[in-house]
Amino acid sequence: SRLSGVLREKRENVLLIEVGGITYEVTVPKAIQEHLISQGKLEIDQTIQLVIYHYYQNEPSRSYPVMIGFSNEVEREFFERFITVSGVGPRAAVKALSVPISTIAKAIDRGDVVVLKSLPGIGIQRARDIVAKLQGKVGKFALLQDEAVLTKPSGLTGNLEVEAVEVLMQLQYSRQEAKAMVERALERNKEIKTIEELLNEVYKQKASMGEMSGRV
């Protein structure tokens, strides 16, 4: 689930991390690696902690474990959702995540196949499949500000409004901004029952307001 150790070597899309005398090879999507570099977290011989997606790659002559690293839980959650699209396996998803996750999520929500097909390894038909499978389900990830590190809020009250405000604050919105966004979303859609539905509504509202200001 997580791996913490000393970074011994970094290559394109690959980190070598030593843990207790054993060195693990961790595949890291380009966008995630660039984000870590910008934060100064990929210095050789320094300790690094990654959230891990672990699976077995099966080939005709062998089967071997693969670890894919992310800087936080929300990045891994998006990756897990992304690979639910038919034809998008873990290796293809790693290759496709060459731009920030929020950029991809916004393109999915808009149904922007032009942006999606520009991702490495994603053609026009696969882009359409991604939109068909995930459109309307990635609002939380589109809200992610790329410098934010999202962790699950502690001490949740069970109140959707409170939980949503806490999540938005971790996405680097102020409490005042977050509360206003959540209140407007709940006024607009009174049928919301889950935190995911609420965050999707917040994103739709934010995107709509952006389009209106663009016209002005």
Side-chain angles (χ1 to χ4, degrees):
S1 181
R2 292 184 180 86
L3 184 69
S4 181
V6 178
L7 179 62
R8 294 305 187 194
E9 188 176 339
K10 56 184 175 184
R11 308 171 189 161
E12 185 177 0
N13 288 3
V14 172
L15 303 178
L16 299 184
I17 301 174
E18 183 180 336
V19 183
I22 299 173
T23 300
Y24 294 90
E25 180 179 294
V26 183
T27 299
V28 181
K30 178 183 176 182
I32 308 304
Q33 193 171 33
E34 289 178 349
H35 175 60
L36 289 168
I37 290 172
S38 72
Q39 293 186 317
K41 293 183 178 179
L42 285 190
E43 300 296 328
I44 299 299
D45 296 332
Q46 288 189 354
T47 298
I48 182 173
Q49 179 172 303
L50 297 175
V51 174
I52 298 295
Y53 177 84
H54 184 262
Y55 78 102
Y56 276 86
Q57 179 67 44
N58 295 309
E59 296 182 355
S61 60
R62 62 175 181 158
S63 175
Y64 56 93
V66 177
M67 288 189 290
I68 301 173
F70 303 93
S71 59
N72 54 64
E73 299 281 354
V74 75
E75 292 172 350
R76 181 176 63 182
E77 185 183 347
F78 178 82
F79 180 85
E80 290 173 336
R81 194 162 299 191
F82 199 61
I83 62 176
T84 63
V85 178
S86 178
V88 181
R91 284 200 296 187
V94 166
K95 188 176 179 182
L97 295 187
S98 60
V99 300
I101 284 173
S102 60
T103 300
I104 298 173
K106 289 171 185 175
I108 292 171
D109 194 76
R110 293 194 307 266
D112 192 339
V113 296
V114 174
V115 169
L116 294 173
K117 76 182 183 67
S118 71
L119 301 174
I122 303 295
I124 184 66
Q125 185 55 53
R126 191 71 67 235
R128 289 170 178 161
D129 292 342
I130 292 169
V131 171
K133 177 77 173 181
L134 299 179
Q135 189 173 35
K137 301 176 182 177
V138 293
K140 179 172 79 172
F141 309 105
L143 284 166
L144 177 62
Q145 297 188 44
D146 296 326
E147 294 303 310
V149 176
L150 180 65
T151 55
K152 187 176 181 180
S154 57
L156 297 181
T157 64
N159 183 301
L160 284 181
E161 183 174 351
V162 173
E163 291 180 25
V165 168
E166 291 296 320
V167 170
L168 289 168
M169 287 176 63
Q170 292 183 63
L171 293 171
Q172 303 303 299
Y173 294 93
S174 70
R175 179 175 291 278
Q176 185 176 357
E177 281 181 306
K179 189 173 181 181
M181 291 161 71
V182 168
E183 288 176 352
R184 286 196 299 268
L186 289 171
E187 286 174 5
R188 191 162 117 167
N189 185 350
K190 301 185 184 302
E191 302 300 317
I192 291 172
K193 293 182 174 60
T194 68
I195 186 73
E196 184 172 0
E197 289 176 357
L198 179 49
L199 290 171
N200 276 332
E201 187 64 34
V202 168
Y203 170 66
K204 289 177 186 176
Q205 173 183 276
K206 190 171 184 293
S208 176
M209 290 175 67
E211 289 175 4
M212 290 175 65
S213 63
R215 292 193 198 104
V216 174

